[in-house]
Amino acid sequence: MNLETVGKRFNLIAKILLCCLLLATDIVAESQSLENEELKNMLVAIERTTRATRFYTDVKTISDDVMQALSKVNRAQFVPEYAIEDAFENHPLRIGYGQTISQPFIVALMTHLLEIEPDDRILEIGTGSGYQAAVAAELASQVYTVEIIAKLAASADKRLKSIGYSNIFVKAGDGWYGWPEAAPFDGILVTAVAPEIPPQLLSQLAVGGKLVIPVGHPRGNQELVLITRLSSSEISSKDILPVRFVPMTGEGILTLRDR
């Protein structure tokens, strides 16, 4: 084989590789474009649902900071592979172990109600896949999140670190008891319904801090409740919206039922 033949074959292989690279680039660009469009549609759906529920919530619009945080977090990274196509739909999705990733509107509303400031330290009960923690971490200084299912906690921790969140701390444990070693918190989010407000969470809420929690029966009426600590001995409570969450589990709940 002479040098001319070798050169022609090399050029042909180079052209084929270049075509493959351009095709792959086009596929990635198309995928990103589609993802961006789905994200925009999700944000529009959140705004629409916010307006539709304003008579319950007194929230006419989600704050710009929260909407911006939602736009920065790729929900597709927090759902199982089989649910990727529905990742940006405005409804909850199953993530295994009998758990769900919350509806984007609910994530937006709960985050909005906390009124998170850049220096705030937030506690989340019910890590799940880590989506709510990621949204909160876009706004807060630190987010501590507790998940009772150890495998979910481990996978969420790995996922959040791989994405680049260094201000989120994940612990496997019973959320009924919060995270006393890291308290007090400026805001607390609970993503599972409890029959009553856990007193340990109230004790870990800083003065001026807010607690957002669904309260009610696992198979019955549930209400999203906003608690504000007014002083060391005084709190205010406001019902926000009828909701549907998976039940809180653990030793704390079992002890409560035995009373």
Side-chain angles (χ1 to χ4, degrees):
M1 186 180 296
N2 57 41
L3 290 176
E4 183 179 356
T5 302
V6 171
K8 288 181 179 179
R9 290 190 176 182
F10 178 81
N11 288 336
L12 178 61
I13 292 171
K15 288 180 180 178
I16 292 172
L17 290 174
L18 179 60
C19 287
C20 290
L21 178 61
L22 291 173
L23 179 60
T25 302
D26 287 343
I27 291 172
V28 170
E30 184 178 349
S31 175
Q32 289 177 339
S33 177
L34 177 61
E35 197 169 85
N36 289 338
E37 187 64 28
E38 290 176 333
L39 174 60
K40 289 179 182 176
N41 291 338
M42 185 188 83
L43 297 177
V44 169
I46 290 171
E47 292 174 341
R48 187 181 300 119
T49 309
T50 302
R51 290 193 298 270
T53 57
R54 67 187 185 279
F55 299 110
Y56 284 103
T57 65
D58 287 334
V59 176
K60 296 180 180 179
T61 182
I62 300 297
S63 72
D64 290 341
D65 287 346
V66 172
M67 294 300 283
Q68 187 175 3
L70 287 162
S71 71
K72 291 179 180 178
V73 181
N74 185 352
R75 194 169 185 248
Q77 294 179 300
F78 295 88
V79 302
E81 187 174 347
Y82 61 78
I84 291 291
E85 291 185 0
D86 296 323
F88 296 98
E89 295 296 320
N90 190 27
H91 56 69
L93 296 169
R94 296 189 180 280
I95 58 172
Y97 304 96
Q99 305 301 303
T100 60
I101 179 174
S102 294
Q103 177 188 6
F105 161 68
I106 292 296
V107 172
L109 177 63
M110 293 178 71
T111 309
H112 172 87
L113 292 171
L114 281 193
E115 300 180 351
I116 299 173
E117 297 291 340
D119 292 334
D120 282 355
R121 301 169 70 255
I122 304 300
L123 172 65
E124 179 196 29
I125 304 303
T127 313
S129 64
Y131 178 65
Q132 173 70 83
V135 172
E138 293 289 342
L139 300 164
S141 172
Q142 296 177 327
V143 176
Y144 294 79
T145 179
V146 182
E147 171 57 54
I148 198 166
I149 300 172
K151 289 185 177 180
L152 269 182
S155 63
D157 189 37
K158 181 179 179 180
R159 180 180 301 110
L160 290 163
K161 286 178 178 175
S162 70
I163 294 172
Y165 287 101
S166 58
N167 62 333
I168 301 177
F169 308 94
V170 183
K171 180 175 77 169
D174 189 340
W176 180 266
Y177 301 105
W179 198 323
E181 300 85 0
F185 300 99
D186 302 292
I188 300 177
L189 287 161
V190 181
T191 62
V193 66
E196 66 178 45
I197 297 167
Q200 288 86 348
L201 297 186
L202 282 177
S203 69
Q204 294 170 34
L205 186 64
V207 173
K210 299 178 185 297
L211 162 64
V212 181
I213 179 173
V215 179
H217 193 280
R219 297 182 184 85
N221 295 331
Q222 301 178 13
E223 191 78 22
L224 191 65
V225 179
L226 171 63
I227 304 292
T228 304
R229 178 163 290 288
L230 304 175
S231 68
S232 58
S233 59
E234 185 181 6
I235 63 169
S236 68
S237 177
K238 180 181 179 181
D239 290 348
I240 300 296
L241 184 73
V243 288
R244 177 66 60 187
F245 278 82
V246 297
M248 182 181 284
T249 59
E251 182 183 338
I253 293 293
L254 293 176
T255 303
L256 177 65
R257 290 173 181 170
D258 290 339
R259 287 195 321 210

